[in-house]
Amino acid sequence: MKKAVSIILCLVLVVSTVFAVAGCSKQSEIKSDIVLITNGGDIKDGGYNQCAWEGINAFADENGLVQRYYQPTLDENGELTVESIEKYVDLSAKNGAQYIIFPGEDFAVAAYEVAPSYPDVKFILLDAIPHSAGDSTDRFISNVMCVTFDTLQSGFLAGYIAVANGNTELGYFGEKSSDDSANYGAGFAQGAAYAADSLGIPVTLDWADYDSPLRDYDYSFTVTACYDKIDDVKDEEIYKVNVVNGTGSGTYTEGSNVTITADPAPAGKVFDHWEVKSDTEGVKDKKVNISSKTKSSMNLLVEKCDCTLTATYKDIEDDFCYVNVMDSDDTTAVSTQAVSINGQTDIKAPAAPENMVFDHWDCSDVAGEIEDESSPETKVTVTDTDVTVTPVYKLSDVPTFNVTVVTGEGGDGASTGSGSYVAGDTVSVAAAVPKEGYMFSHWENVGADGQSAGIAMENEYYWNTTFEMVDRYAAVCESMYDHGATMIFAGGNSKADSAYTAKWNFDFELGVISAGENNKDAYTTIVKNYGEAVKDCLTDYKGGTVISENCATEGIYATFVSENEEIQKNYDEIYKALADGKITPVLAEGGAGYDFCKAFVENNMSDCLTLNGWFVEV
């Protein structure tokens, strides 16, 4: 009966947790012994929350206890705050919670700041150790029991599985700033070496820390506007388009669709219409096929004639004001528009400076209204005075990648689109007009390593186009795949998703091994078993201590080993040997991948595995 009641309570909770804590007065009447506060996800996320909840359920059912969970609401930035966690801790304590489970690093600061205020509650912090905000120094709290997971053994299992299943060219995608990453990598190298030496087969392992200062890898790339000499264009009818007071001039093939855009209007004027003229003898002006004469940006379908399109302007009849968009230094106007009183216009922030992202518009002196101050593209409504707005940028919390747009031979002037972008941004590029005797051909992109940057233009043969900014850290893994690696391990790397980005850029079958929580796109995942860790802590709670989950506690496991029974049998023996201490991998000294790689080579730690440290200079 108790289990049924528990299930009903959980269903009530799923509905009620979408409301603020203040609206949970009925919940205060429900007593619970063990509480899981999730990281904002639900208990069916297939990851840490679900695994921890399953462990709690198993222990509670076996011991006649009542369990429940809370799913906090994330803030506007999608983050879990200490304030939000504390609300649910307080609610749990008032409802009689004996144990509160914190799943992951997201709770490390909360454990440090909040747990001491509830000395009668026993906290379990999984996969983290308490620390203060802005300081990663470990702090030990008397009523917080911590769990860590053996990254060295996890890496060893990953390396063994990779080689046992026939992969002889491997890659480790690491992060120098992470001690966990160094030991995942050290374990991976030793597990791969163990399998290679046992089988007597040569194996190579390339180790690359994407953030290593020992080699300044350049993630920026260049986009080049390329041009062809008209004499070299074969079997095509080509025509010249001349745009006066606007953009879109060039030489195009018949049938091309060209966006023609008028320049901003001079002071006191607004765009009026396009004047259209055929420049080919015998072809009437009306044969110049444009989509609109009255829109400042319109489409030209190139047909069998050269042509000239002229943007014309007229005086503003109504009272007007100017809208000025300044550069980030607030010194130069990048655009100026005349707008009728009480009228509205679009504004767009220029591309961000290096390593920066747009934050907001500085509009403290704006005599008008900005529709969305936090959007780089928005609208401004003017009242009765000029409006000046300045974009404000901030250091990016996520990786930014620098794009340089250049004009190739045959172009006249500067091509546009250079700037700093984050993955997912839409980047607009426009080629300079071609010189006499040339026409725009296509766009090319190349990284600092001479390889393609992996971007996909909306139309690489169009002078004015866009592309979506890609994750450039994937270039490290792409280089590994290019050099023959068939399996890459990304354990402990906060940029592990870059390995999948690289994998998906290749047509043939390649593998990624992940660590932490189950990843359906991985060949296999060495999982941190939160459920088993929770049960171990609840069974033998010791506040102020840290325990390590490993093979001996079944705190880690592989989601897949092999379809080959012999390989599976050998893996089981390796797992047991790690659990019994018969195999003891060597830690990366001081958490440094460089030191481990150097020691591996100098001490000849394997007869069959060759370790190449691309970014660690072994």
Side-chain angles (χ1 to χ4, degrees), residues 329-353:
D329 294 330
D330 200 20
T331 57
T332 304
V334 295
S335 70
T336 299
Q337 302 176 68
V339 183
S340 299
I341 298 297
N342 297 320
Q344 190 178 69
T345 189
D346 295 318
I347 59 173
K348 180 178 180 179

Side-chain angles (χ1 to χ4, degrees), residues 352-383:
E354 184 173 348
N355 300 322
M356 308 286 279
V357 291
F358 177 85
D359 186 45
H360 67 279
W361 291 100
D362 180 1
C363 51
S364 56
D365 298 326
V366 171
E369 180 181 342
I370 292 185
E371 186 172 273
D372 186 353
E373 294 178 13
S374 62
S375 174
E377 297 185 44
T378 187
K379 295 180 181 294
V380 172
T381 301
V382 303
T383 52

Side-chain angles (χ1 to χ4, degrees), residues 36-73:
L36 168 68
I37 300 177
T38 78
N39 60 8
D42 61 37
I43 56 167
K44 293 184 178 180
D45 62 357
Y48 293 144
N49 293 316
Q50 181 173 337
C51 189
W53 182 241
E54 289 171 352
I56 292 169
N57 279 334
F59 183 86
D61 289 348
E62 291 170 4
N63 293 275
L65 301 175
V66 176
Q67 72 275 28
R68 68 177 304 161
Y69 75 94
Y70 292 109
Q71 183 179 336
T73 301

Side-chain angles (χ1 to χ4, degrees), residues 496-509:
D497 285 348
S498 299
Y500 297 98
T501 301
K503 167 181 158 57
W504 294 327
N505 286 338
F506 287 78
D507 295 331
F508 47 88
E509 188 62 31

Side-chain angles (χ1 to χ4, degrees), residues 348-603:
K348 180 178 180 179
E354 184 173 348
N355 300 322
M356 308 286 279
V357 291
F358 177 85
D359 186 45
H360 67 279
W361 291 100
D362 180 1
C363 51
S364 56
D365 298 326
V366 171
E369 180 181 342
I370 292 185
E371 186 172 273
D372 186 353
E373 294 178 13
S374 62
S375 174
E377 297 185 44
T378 187
K379 295 180 181 294
V380 172
T381 301
V382 303
T383 52
D384 56 359
T385 58
D386 292 345
V387 173
T388 298
V389 291
T390 302
V392 177
Y393 300 92
K394 66 177 181 179
L395 285 173
S396 178
D397 294 330
V398 297
T400 65
F401 306 104
N402 299 317
V403 178
T404 302
V405 182
V406 300
T407 302
E409 181 182 356
D412 186 13
S415 298
T416 62
S418 297
S420 184
Y421 303 92
V422 301
D425 280 351
T426 297
V427 182
S428 298
V429 294
V433 297
K435 295 178 180 178
E436 186 70 30
Y438 287 84
M439 63 181 293
F440 176 80
S441 172
H442 64 284
W443 293 97
E444 290 182 352
N445 65 87
V446 64
D449 59 355
Q451 303 293 322
S452 169
I455 64 171
M457 295 280 188
E458 183 179 2
N459 186 344
E460 65 181 295
Y461 301 104
Y462 189 45
W463 71 276
N464 184 11
T465 189
T466 63
F467 63 87
E468 182 177 312
M469 188 65 236
V470 297
D471 168 17
R472 287 288 291 147
Y473 290 132
V476 175
C477 296
E478 288 174 2
S479 294
M480 291 180 176
Y481 287 137
D482 280 335
H483 284 82
T486 58
M487 188 69 69
I488 291 176
F489 181 46
N493 190 340
S494 62
K495 305 296 184 293
D497 285 348
S498 299
Y500 297 98
T501 301
K503 167 181 158 57
W504 294 327
N505 286 338
F506 287 78
D507 295 331
F508 47 88
E509 188 62 31
L510 297 169
V512 176
I513 297 178
S514 64
E517 57 184 319
N518 190 8
N519 189 315
K520 63 181 178 61
D521 294 317
Y523 177 83
T524 187
T525 301
I526 311 301
V527 173
K528 297 175 180 178
N529 192 342
Y530 275 30
E532 193 66 35
V534 166
K535 289 192 293 181
D536 289 346
C537 291
L538 291 170
T539 300
D540 187 18
Y541 182 86
K542 295 178 181 177
T545 65
V546 180
I547 66 167
S548 177
E549 290 289 319
N550 48 38
C551 293
T553 63
E554 298 183 355
I556 56 177
Y557 65 90
T559 55
F560 174 75
V561 177
S562 177
E563 295 178 352
N564 184 297
E565 293 183 3
E566 185 66 24
I567 294 175
Q568 179 68 56
K569 178 183 175 182
N570 292 338
Y571 168 84
D572 292 340
E573 292 176 356
I574 295 298
Y575 191 97
K576 187 175 187 305
L578 288 167
D580 294 341
K582 294 179 180 179
I583 296 178
T584 55
V586 177
L587 281 166
E589 291 294 331
Y594 166 75
D595 290 336
F596 171 79
C597 291
K598 184 177 180 181
F600 188 97
V601 174
E602 291 180 349
N603 298 329

Side-chain angles (χ1 to χ4, degrees), residues 79 82 132 150 262 282 297 303 358 366 395 401 425:
E79 297 178 352
V82 172
S132 62
D150 196 318
S297 183
E303 298 197 24
F358 177 85
V366 171
L395 285 173
F401 306 104
D425 280 351

